[in-house]
Amino acid sequence: RQTNHEGVIVDWIQECRGKFDALVINAAAYTHTSVAIHDAIKAVQIRTVEAHLSEPCPLAEIAASVHLSPVYFHNRFREATGETPLSYLTRIRVEKAKVLLLSDSRPTAQIAEQCGFSSDTYFSAVFKKHTGQTPRQYRIRKMKAYWD
């Protein structure tokens, strides 16, 4: 048998539990929304960087195109992808170059230009850093492996 005070306490505990449950549900919805917003921002930022694949990397222009300051864009991009816009862009450029080296017989200087590298020399250095081989070595080894 409950006293009047015990009944008030039980009612108060039930009311608190109801409010707590509502907070948990709202927090879950907020987290879900926050993740969706984060994913959308990430997708926009990645598409924006990829749209500038064959151009020099004007971070300020890329950031301005999504209405962010360069520093904020850089930080948000790194937070969303785990890498800086420049390292992401460089990695994507190298991946595109790998495909072109095997599917296109044009000289590496033309492929470098198409992939947004400022010079064939810089392209070769970056490509070697990412793959362990120069573009020419990569092309020869992959083609040789294909024909063997």
Side-chain angles (χ1 to χ4, degrees):
R1 198 172 151 165
Q2 296 179 350
T3 65
N4 192 28
H5 292 286
E6 289 172 336
V8 170
I9 291 171
V10 168
D11 289 344
W12 179 77
I13 290 172
Q14 288 174 342
E15 181 183 342
C16 288
R17 178 162 183 170
K19 288 180 180 180
F20 177 76
D21 289 345
L23 285 172
V24 168
I25 290 168
N26 287 338
Y30 174 77
T31 300
H32 179 71
T33 302
S34 178
V35 168
I37 290 169
H38 177 37
D39 289 348
I41 289 169
K42 179 179 175 180
V44 166
Q45 291 172 335
I46 288 171
R47 279 195 306 272
T48 301
V49 169
E50 288 176 352
H52 294 82
L53 188 64
S54 62
E55 304 168 13
C57 186
L59 183 59
E61 289 176 31
I62 294 172
S65 73
V66 289
H67 310 291
L68 298 174
S69 74
V71 171
Y72 188 71
F73 176 78
H74 179 274
N75 292 339
R76 291 296 306 219
F77 190 93
R78 184 168 36 175
E79 179 183 301
T81 65
E83 57 189 324
T84 67
L86 182 58
S87 65
Y88 177 82
L89 186 59
T90 301
R91 183 174 56 79
I92 297 301
R93 285 175 171 169
V94 168
E95 292 301 318
K96 181 178 179 182
K98 287 165 71 175
V99 170
L100 291 174
L101 286 166
L102 300 180
S103 64
D104 196 325
S105 62
R106 289 180 299 149
T108 59
Q110 289 178 2
I111 290 173
E113 184 180 337
Q114 184 178 347
C115 293
F117 290 96
S118 57
S119 73
D120 188 35
T121 305
Y122 178 65
F123 168 60
S124 291
V126 170
F127 193 91
K128 186 170 184 174
K129 180 180 177 186
H130 282 261
T131 65
Q133 357 179 25
T134 66
R136 184 173 183 277
Q137 291 169 335
Y138 179 83
R139 180 181 263 170
I140 290 169
R141 287 185 181 147
K142 290 292 183 178
M143 295 305 266
K144 186 176 189 290
Y146 177 77
W147 293 107
D148 284 347

